[in-house]
Amino acid sequence: MKKKILSAILAGIFTLGSFSISDAATREEISAIKVETAKDFKYWNEDSPTLKKIINFVEDATNPASENFIPVEDRVATFDMDGTFYCETAPIYFQESMFFFRALEDKNFDAPKDMVNFAKKIQPKVFNKAGLTAAESKKYFNYLTKAYAGMTDEEYRAYVRNFMQTSEVGFTNLKRGEAFYLPMVEIISYLSENNFAVYIDSACGVSTTRELIENILPIRYDRILASDFVYTSTNMQKDLPDKHFFDRNKEKIIISGEPIKENGKTAKIFSIINQIGKKPVLAFGNSSGDTSMFEYTLQNEKYRSMAFYVLCDDVERELGNLNRAEKEKNFAAQRGYNTISMRNDWKTIYGDNVKVAK
């Protein structure tokens, strides 16, 4: 499977000009998902014990007569993005896939020779999950932002928007802009309809995240906690940002190309403190990068709280990894997290016409 995926990539399936017709739920259909009560769920198995836990929590938290009632102002829920409600297996994160397109396929970008050579060198390792050396990982991380140096935020978001039209690798009938887990979109809708303030707390870049979810999820624009680009001004030169006068008539704000400020692991807690100011009562994630957010949520001493770990354990409808999923399930049990099984809890993932490529 991995070799087939890689050969497809190297053959140029990222080309922006040749989009496939998608049979997944469209962005318009995803944005129309609305779940107000327990009976409105369509994409979860009816006997899912995990869904029952979530429903019981919400019904309890919104019932003024319950000892577990949570006032509206304290109903805070945080979600990781990649692998939690959006695909991260095709075969890597959206932002990383976009870098390889930018460096190797984009005919409108004159990529530096060293960037091209490095991308060619590590692409087989990355897409086959073979692991990079420490030096390669650092250089790779730096290139994820260098590739867009000089772009304004508007230009970068337009680039993301175009890349969203390309096909997900390893699947049929699925575009990147449609690769949302439908059952998790229902959870986000359900919480929003029950007056929970839903936040994204992701290691993905904030502008990437905003573009992916815009007009599709009921999450406010200012409720996205994510990794930050480092910006500069076209006339800042050696000035420090807090000392520089920005002249709207002579300059514009652009991506500097400096390494992104990553919002991962315990940094996610700092984002919650700085940008929300309250501990969540619910947290949803899918990897070790989210466990600090889980622990902080479960440290809530004022209200009952729960954490949910999404397991990519479906090898028929997703590019699941059973060994990893089993280890994560055991770890979640040790730490007191609930688990969401793609295989056992969900009726569908992206829509029934989306298939794993053979």
Side-chain angles (χ1 to χ4, degrees):
M1 171 62 75
K2 290 179 179 178
K3 290 182 178 179
K4 288 182 180 179
I5 291 172
L6 182 61
S7 63
I9 294 165
L10 296 178
I13 80 168
F14 281 128
T15 304
L16 284 174
S18 56
F19 306 153
S20 64
I21 297 174
S22 174
D23 292 321
T26 65
R27 288 180 67 83
E28 291 75 18
E29 290 168 338
I30 297 170
S31 67
I33 291 174
K34 188 174 182 179
V35 178
E36 296 181 354
T37 65
K39 64 180 176 58
D40 297 327
F41 284 94
K42 298 178 181 178
Y43 300 122
W44 287 73
N45 290 324
E46 293 172 4
D47 61 349
S48 165
T50 306
L51 179 60
K52 290 177 182 177
K53 287 181 181 180
I54 296 171
I55 290 171
N56 288 340
F57 183 97
V58 171
E59 290 181 345
D60 233 10
T62 57
N63 179 6
S66 170
E67 63 179 10
N68 293 314
F69 174 72
I70 302 173
V72 171
E73 62 269 20
D74 291 328
R75 293 178 200 165
V76 175
T78 55
F79 285 75
D80 169 59
M81 184 172 73
D82 297 277
T84 298
F85 64 81
Y86 179 81
C87 178
E88 75 171 14
T89 61
I92 54 172
Y93 301 108
F94 177 98
Q95 208 161 263
E96 296 182 13
S97 294
M98 192 169 73
F99 161 71
F100 285 110
F101 170 79
R102 176 77 166 159
L104 301 176
E105 303 291 335
D106 187 350
K107 305 302 181 184
N108 297 315
F109 176 55
D110 186 15
K113 189 174 181 179
D114 62 331
M115 181 183 294
V116 173
N117 290 338
F118 181 73
K120 286 180 178 178
K121 176 185 175 183
I122 69 164
Q123 189 187 56
K125 288 187 176 182
V126 172
F127 282 88
N128 282 328
K129 304 185 188 301
L132 302 179
T133 66
E136 287 173 335
S137 293
K138 182 178 180 180
K139 196 170 185 179
Y140 182 31
F141 181 77
N142 291 346
Y143 271 136
L144 291 178
T145 43
K146 278 187 177 181
Y148 310 100
M151 278 188 177
T152 64
D153 184 62
E154 292 79 8
E155 290 167 343
Y156 176 79
R157 287 189 61 171
Y159 199 88
V160 171
R161 195 157 54 246
N162 285 334
F163 192 67
M164 282 163 51
Q165 300 302 313
T166 62
S167 297
E168 284 284 23
V169 179
F171 295 91
T172 62
N173 305 318
L174 184 63
K175 292 180 184 177
R176 286 190 164 87
E178 300 166 342
F180 290 82
Y181 303 154
L182 301 182
M184 294 304 292
V185 174
E186 286 191 317
I187 295 297
I188 291 171
S189 174
Y190 181 54
L191 294 176
S192 298
E193 290 295 324
N194 283 276
N195 296 312
F196 281 77
V198 178
Y199 289 81
I200 295 175
D201 197 359
S202 173
C204 186
V206 65
S207 291
T208 309
T209 305
R210 282 175 176 158
E211 196 60 45
L212 277 169
I213 74 155
E214 186 171 35
N215 299 322
I216 195 170
L217 295 181
I219 297 176
R220 279 181 14 193
Y221 194 80
D222 58 343
R223 288 181 176 170
I224 297 173
L225 323 180
S227 296
D228 296 329
F229 275 130
V230 177
Y231 290 94
T232 187
S233 157
T234 50
N235 199 37
M236 188 176 291
Q237 299 178 3
K238 294 184 178 180
D239 288 352
L240 294 174
D242 62 336
K243 305 298 182 184
H244 180 73
F245 172 76
F246 175 77
D247 187 335
R248 70 184 187 280
N249 298 312
K250 297 181 180 180
E251 52 192 315
K252 58 183 179 180
I253 301 299
I254 57 173
I255 295 168
S256 72
E258 293 298 311
I260 200 167
K261 295 180 179 178
E262 190 169 12
N263 186 55
K265 296 192 174 181
T266 301
K268 292 192 173 190
I269 298 176
F270 302 156
S271 293
I272 291 170
I273 294 171
N274 288 330
Q275 299 182 55
I276 302 177
K278 293 183 178 183
K279 284 184 179 177
V281 294
L282 287 172
F284 296 81
N286 79 301
S287 73
S288 61
D290 304 315
T291 54
S292 293
M293 177 175 68
F294 290 167
E295 295 290 322
Y296 188 64
T297 298
L298 295 176
Q299 202 179 51
N300 194 320
E301 297 175 352
K302 191 173 182 180
Y303 303 108
R304 178 190 178 202
S305 58
M306 297 181 80
F308 292 85
Y309 201 123
V310 179
L311 303 176
C312 191
D313 58 359
D314 196 316
V315 296
E316 298 296 326
R317 303 173 299 178
E318 241 288 1
L319 301 171
N321 184 321
L322 296 181
N323 289 334
R324 174 183 166 179
E326 187 63 25
K327 290 178 182 177
E328 291 171 338
K329 182 179 180 180
N330 292 336
F331 178 75
Q334 293 169 11
R335 299 303 305 177
Y337 315 147
N338 299 280
T339 53
I340 297 172
S341 167
M342 291 185 179
R343 179 183 57 202
N344 299 324
D345 286 317
W346 296 350
K347 288 182 180 177
T348 188
I349 298 178
Y350 306 106
D352 291 340
N353 290 324
V354 175
K355 308 293 184 183
V356 172
K358 302 298 183 182

